[in-house]
């Protein structure tokens, strides 16, 4: 017997949420296969119009060979961990895209050390404690940074892209620079390192600008609880930066409200493609 309050989603229930969405699907496909840098695609409307189901269906339609990531800011889905600090969001995007990100990994490891975080046993990223040795160890006078690491640290890095980075002059210089930076400075640069890694790791396509798709759901939760509009916008800033610094990514946002980024910076007006989602309607009215 089902527990009280449980609900089983039937196929007919799912279909009712995704009825007459040809317009949205066509819009998404147009952006996905464009040869130009993608705009930020936004689907907005009141709750209950099926925006979450729309995003799930669009993600299913992404062809093989184009990695995707999806973040849900819904509080019930533990979305607050993305709202309060973008670092978990960047980690989740990295893990879902499943491509090597050695610069990001290195910066994150050293950030965790500088912030005093400890790596838990059995962590999905066991190399995080390598940051401790990189931050406090003695720099080698010559040769790669790998010379300053313990045997146990080297064994955890063996065969990884992070090991290859640390074996290079680029890696050594990056460690030296990161050691000089504060945790706040590293935190500010994480997105840059992630973008650089994804630019190299994501497979390019001759006839398509998009190399990955990032879906962001329940976007209204990002600024929830703030009466001051400036506080709301500051919480959205990392998402603006994500779209701006990752021009190879098609960012698709679903939420209750139309984005107002262009009201603060008019340059965003040409970078946003916003569509009102209505209940049971095939129309996808554009609001620019």
């Amino acid at each position: 017997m089902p527990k009280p309050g449980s609900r089983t989603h039937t196929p007919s229930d799912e279909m009712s949420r995704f009825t007459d969405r040809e317009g949205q699907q066509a819009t998404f496909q147009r952006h996905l296969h464009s040869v130009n840098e993608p705009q930020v695609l936004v689907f907005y409307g009141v709750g209950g119009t099926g925006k979450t189901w729309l995003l799930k269906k669009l993600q299913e339609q992404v062809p093989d060979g184009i990695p995707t990531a999806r973040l849900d800011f819904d509080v019930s889905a533990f979305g607050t961990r993305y709202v309060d600090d973008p670092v978990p969001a960047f980690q989740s995007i990295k893990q879902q895209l499943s491509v090597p990100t050695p610069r990001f990994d290195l910066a994150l490891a050293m950030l965790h050390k500088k912030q005093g975080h400890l790596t838990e046993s059995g962590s999905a990223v066991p190399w995080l404690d390598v940051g401790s040795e990189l931050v406090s160890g003695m720099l080698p006078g010559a040769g790669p940074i790998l010379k300053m690491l313990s045997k146990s640290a080297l064994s955890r890095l063996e065969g990884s892209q992070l090991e290859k980075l640390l074996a290079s002059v680029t890696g050594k210089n990056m460690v030296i620079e990161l050691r000089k930076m504060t945790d706040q400075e590293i935190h500010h640069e994480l997105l840059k390192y992630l973008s650089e890694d994804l630019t190299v790791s994501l497979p390019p396509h001759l006839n398509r600008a998009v190399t990955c798709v990032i879906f962001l759901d329940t976007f209204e939760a990002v600024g929830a609880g703030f009466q001051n509009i400036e506080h709301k916008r500051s919480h959205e800033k990392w998402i603006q930066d994500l779209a701006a610094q990752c021009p190879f990514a098609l960012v698709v946002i679903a939420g209750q409200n139309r984005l107002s980024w262009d009201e603060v910076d008019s340059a965003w007006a040409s970078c946003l493609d916003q569509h009102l989602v209505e209940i049971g309607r095939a129309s996808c009215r554009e609001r620019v």
Side-chain angles (χ1 to χ4, degrees), residues 64-75:
D64 293 338
I66 306 179
T68 66
R70 181 175 177 271
L71 303 180
D72 191 344
F73 297 108
D74 186 6
V75 174

Side-chain angles (χ1 to χ4, degrees), residues 2 19 22 55 76 99 101-102 122 143-144 168 175 193 201 214 248 254 275:
T19 300
E22 290 83 1
L55 257 60
S76 63
V99 294
T101 55
S168 68
V175 169
Y193 295 129
S201 298
I214 301 173
F248 47 81
H275 298 270

Side-chain angles (χ1 to χ4, degrees), residues 24-84:
Q24 288 94 332
Q25 295 177 75
T27 298
F28 173 71
Q29 291 296 328
R30 173 170 55 83
H31 283 278
L32 183 63
H33 295 285
S34 174
V35 297
N36 300 314
E37 180 179 322
Q39 296 173 297
V40 177
L41 179 57
V42 183
F43 296 111
Y44 69 98
V46 298
T49 55
K51 298 182 297 295
T52 293
W53 283 110
L54 174 62
L55 257 60
K56 289 181 178 178
K57 291 298 181 180
L58 294 181
Q59 187 171 14
E60 292 174 2
Q61 295 174 6
V62 177
D64 293 338
I66 306 179
T68 66
R70 181 175 177 271
L71 303 180
D72 191 344
F73 297 108
D74 186 6
V75 174
S76 63
F78 304 103
T80 52
R81 67 185 183 276
Y82 303 136
V83 174
D84 298 333

Side-chain angles (χ1 to χ4, degrees), residues 26-194:
T27 298
F28 173 71
Q29 291 296 328
R30 173 170 55 83
H31 283 278
L32 183 63
H33 295 285
S34 174
V35 297
N36 300 314
E37 180 179 322
Q39 296 173 297
V40 177
L41 179 57
V42 183
F43 296 111
Y44 69 98
V46 298
T49 55
K51 298 182 297 295
T52 293
W53 283 110
L54 174 62
L55 257 60
K56 289 181 178 178
K57 291 298 181 180
L58 294 181
Q59 187 171 14
E60 292 174 2
Q61 295 174 6
V62 177
D64 293 338
I66 306 179
T68 66
R70 181 175 177 271
L71 303 180
D72 191 344
F73 297 108
D74 186 6
V75 174
S76 63
F78 304 103
T80 52
R81 67 185 183 276
Y82 303 136
V83 174
D84 298 333
D85 183 2
V87 175
F90 297 153
Q91 288 181 268
S92 181
I93 290 172
K94 159 212 159 55
Q95 291 167 0
Q96 291 182 65
L97 294 180
S98 299
V99 294
T101 55
R103 296 174 184 82
F104 175 79
D105 295 344
L106 174 57
L108 184 62
M110 298 185 71
L111 172 64
H112 273 248
K113 168 57 182 175
K114 286 175 179 279
Q115 290 180 331
H117 296 319
L118 297 177
T119 303
E120 297 180 2
S121 177
S123 169
V125 279
W127 43 258
L128 279 179
D129 59 350
V130 171
S132 178
E133 297 183 26
L134 294 175
V135 169
S136 56
M138 292 292 293
L139 287 170
I145 286 292
L146 292 174
K147 288 186 175 181
M148 68 184 288
L149 297 179
S150 64
K151 290 183 178 179
S152 61
L154 289 173
S155 66
R156 290 192 293 277
L157 293 175
E158 187 175 2
S160 69
Q161 290 296 317
L162 180 53
E163 180 189 40
K164 293 180 180 180
L165 175 64
L166 293 174
S168 68
V169 175
T170 299
K172 182 174 183 177
N173 291 337
M174 185 174 173
V175 169
I176 293 173
E177 287 302 313
L178 288 170
R179 283 166 63 110
K180 297 176 183 177
M181 297 166 66
T182 65
D183 60 330
Q184 290 182 329
E185 290 172 331
I186 297 177
H187 188 283
H188 183 71
E189 295 295 310
L190 276 180
L191 179 56
K192 183 194 76 169
Y193 295 129
L194 179 61

